[in-house]
Amino acid sequence: MVRFTVLASGSKGNCTVLSGGRTRILVDAGLSCRELFRRMQLAGEEPATLNAIVITHEHQDHVNGLAVTARKLGIPVYFTEGTHRAWMRWLQPRRQMSYAQWLEMVRKQAAERQAEPEAEVVENDLLDESNEGSLTPLPVENSVQTAAASLDQLPDPSCDTAPDPASDASDGRPPSLKDDPTWLPAIEYFQPGEPFSIGDICISPFTIPHDAADPVGFVFSSEGVRLGFATDLGYIPPNVREQLRDLDLLLLESNHDLEMLRDGPYPWSVKQRVLSRVGHLSNDAASEFLAADYDGQAAYVILGHLSENNNLPELARVAAERALLGRASLLANRLLLAAQHEPLSAISF
Ligand SMILES: [Zn+2]
Ligand SMILES: [Zn+2]
């Protein structure tokens, strides 16, 4: 069975669980680990059964809980190399330090580590996940680390009490989140345009126009079911149109209503950014695609990443309904809206 559960969608956090065959992946980790696990349980999903995390791009609403969640579950994270580098830069400190200050801080951290009893070192991983970052040198870039945990070594999936599973690794304890907020149990790189598999799920990443380092959308396929995933894009270029065909499910951004955005509270520079070719899709742009370029094949069309300030669910829905007019039937194009604050009911095939 293939199952698709949007746990959250919008500028305060994005997370979706996709199951196919014996594989279960998380697409983006934009909620805190605690909230992510809470919503998974609400939606009847078991966090400990996740096999991997796949990331679309490094914006905070897509990676906010990434490090804590990956550490907690001991599972690999799939990025493009550009997104991984940008994520690591995002976690680095914003302040400048002299070399002498840096040396002093590293010495202090080493002394603290030596003095800490073991239990406290584990607890440190549970500290604030919005960590400001430290000056600990980065792990060597370009390297692919190996997975530290297998499915049968899954930890108790609680963000509060479970020890970091990677702490048991025989090659030594991983750095605490405080010491190295960029450490992950395992990192795998993929490239837009080059399909790859995670267990029973095949993943085709494609480039999308958005103001991030190397943002992607995905087409997932498993058991003959194809699911398209395209949020956070300024417009729909031909390569994206090409990908979003022959789908059983389409998750498409319908971010803002143009008038609400123009008249709304955002500063002009932010409005310009959202409206730009590397910003977000408006209700009109999503509808235009649905009316003119979409092949009408999907059983479900889910509108996602709706702005809470510059959109209303009803405006997005009505625009898409109009665009899909004549195509909606009992079997195709059932229109759903993904929400920010509660999971959407699981969709199964
Ligand atoms: Zn986003
Ligand atoms: Zn984004």
Side-chain angles (χ1 to χ4, degrees):
M1 189 172 70
V2 173
R3 195 166 66 237
F4 187 85
T5 311
V6 183
L7 298 174
S9 186
S11 61
K12 293 201 177 91
N14 294 274
C15 270
T16 296
V17 181
L18 171 61
S19 310
R22 290 152 299 157
T23 308
R24 187 166 304 192
I25 61 174
L26 189 68
V27 186
D28 286 336
L31 297 173
S32 71
C33 174
R34 186 176 311 204
E35 180 62 12
L36 170 61
F37 284 9
R38 191 185 75 80
R39 291 205 194 185
M40 281 190 76
Q41 273 147 0
L42 262 181
E45 303 279 355
E46 180 50 60
T49 61
L50 285 170
N51 298 103
I53 303 174
V54 183
I55 297 295
T56 57
H57 65 296
E58 75 279 11
H59 285 165
Q60 196 167 350
D61 54 319
H62 298 259
V63 296
N64 205 24
L66 175 59
V68 176
T69 306
R71 281 165 172 259
K72 199 53 59 190
L73 297 174
I75 55 177
V77 180
Y78 289 71
F79 297 97
T80 68
E81 188 176 348
T83 297
H84 180 223
R85 284 171 186 255
W87 176 72
M88 289 199 296
R89 275 198 303 275
W90 175 61
L91 288 172
Q92 294 312 297
R94 285 163 194 99
R95 61 182 187 274
Q96 294 288 320
M97 250 186 210
S98 70
Y99 179 69
Q101 284 170 321
W102 177 79
L103 211 59
E104 180 55 32
M105 197 192 72
V106 171
R107 272 202 203 106
K108 237 189 205 164
Q109 283 177 346
E112 276 169 14
R113 264 201 302 278
Q114 273 186 348
E116 275 166 356
E118 283 190 10
E120 278 180 32
V121 178
V122 173
E123 284 301 311
N124 274 346
D125 284 351
L126 306 174
L127 291 176
D128 182 13
E129 39 189 286
S130 66
N131 212 305
E132 278 294 307
S134 76
L135 279 184
T136 309
L138 293 176
V140 181
E141 292 187 16
N142 299 325
S143 71
V144 174
Q145 301 167 24
T146 44
S150 67
L151 268 182
D152 50 9
Q153 294 173 310
L154 287 166
D156 172 6
S158 151
C159 286
D160 301 320
T161 55
D164 191 327
S167 301
D168 296 334
S170 55
D171 57 350
R173 189 186 301 282
S176 73
L177 194 63
K178 205 173 158 200
D179 283 345
D180 184 358
T182 66
W183 188 91
L184 294 168
I187 296 159
E188 301 284 349
Y189 289 146
F190 61 79
Q191 287 189 13
E194 293 188 8
F196 62 99
S197 289
I198 302 176
D200 298 326
I201 300 175
C202 177
I203 302 171
S204 296
F206 54 87
T207 294
I208 53 172
H210 190 53
D211 56 355
D214 193 10
V216 294
F218 297 112
V219 171
F220 301 101
S221 53
S222 188
E223 303 177 33
V225 176
R226 282 169 48 83
L227 309 106
F229 198 102
T231 69
D232 296 74
L233 63 173
Y235 71 105
I236 304 186
N239 79 303
V240 175
R241 282 205 295 268
E242 202 60 43
Q243 295 288 332
L244 301 181
R245 285 194 180 142
D246 279 329
L247 300 173
D248 296 288
L249 179 150
L250 168 62
L251 171 63
L252 182 67
E253 171 166 73
S254 192
N255 178 260
H256 54 274
D257 174 75
L258 286 168
E259 277 179 37
M260 282 183 74
L261 178 67
R262 285 198 187 110
D263 299 341
Y266 285 3
W268 177 240
S269 58
V270 178
K271 290 180 183 179
Q272 285 292 89
R273 198 218 122 208
V274 174
L275 287 167
S276 78
R277 299 274 277 180
V278 287
H280 290 275
L281 276 191
S282 67
N283 295 344
D284 286 357
S287 302
E288 223 170 86
F289 168 78
L290 291 174
D293 298 307
Y294 162 63
D295 65 7
Q297 297 297 305
Y300 296 92
V301 174
I302 305 175
L303 303 179
H305 218 299
L306 269 69
S307 166
E308 292 184 294
N309 293 309
N310 302 306
N311 209 351
L312 293 170
E314 273 320 292
L315 291 176
R317 179 189 293 281
V318 166
E321 267 171 3
R322 254 188 226 134
L324 290 168
L325 208 67
R327 286 175 164 179
S329 72
L330 277 181
L331 292 175
N333 300 303
R334 263 172 280 179
L335 189 66
L336 301 168
L337 267 65
Q340 180 71 87
H341 299 286
E342 55 185 6
L344 191 62
S345 300
I347 295 169
S348 300
F349 294 90

